Amino acid sequence: MSDKAREKGRLAIYGLAGFYILYMAYSIFKGISDSAGLEQIALLVAMVAFVIIGIGLVVFSLVRGYKISKADYDQEKNKENENNK
């Protein structure tokens, strides 16, 4: 397996993990109304942290995946231009 394929697979896993963490934040949000006091504050802090981490993972995987795909495309385009000369 090539390094690029491993990197793309890793990025897909990061993206899926980010979505799962966002789902967990949503689950915490649904359960906040059942708690009170310090427990509610702790859940709110955890929810915010999960949202930040989840969005970070999703954005990182999308941006990095785009950069890798663009680099592959540019490399392929350069090879075609060299072959046409």
Side-chain angles (χ1 to χ4, degrees), residues 35-69:
S35 61
L38 291 178
E39 182 180 339
Q40 192 172 27
I41 293 171
L43 287 174
L44 185 63
V45 169
M47 183 192 70
V48 169
F50 280 27
V51 167
I52 291 169
I53 293 168
I55 290 173
L57 282 172
V58 170
V59 169
F60 171 76
S61 65
L62 290 175
V63 170
R64 184 73 177 124
Y66 173 76
K67 287 181 180 179
I68 290 172
S69 296

Side-chain angles (χ1 to χ4, degrees), residues 13-48:
I13 291 172
Y14 288 165
L16 291 173
F19 280 116
Y20 180 70
I21 291 172
L22 287 172
Y23 170 75
M24 289 179 18
Y26 176 72
S27 296
I28 291 172
F29 176 74
K30 289 191 317 185
I32 284 181
S33 61
D34 296 335
S35 61
L38 291 178
E39 182 180 339
Q40 192 172 27
I41 293 171
L43 287 174
L44 185 63
V45 169
M47 183 192 70
V48 169

Side-chain angles (χ1 to χ4, degrees), residues 4 7-8 11 63-73:
K4 287 184 182 182
E7 181 70 17
K8 287 181 181 180
L11 291 173
V63 170
R64 184 73 177 124
Y66 173 76
K67 287 181 180 179
I68 290 172
S69 296
K70 185 168 173 28
D72 288 345
Y73 176 76

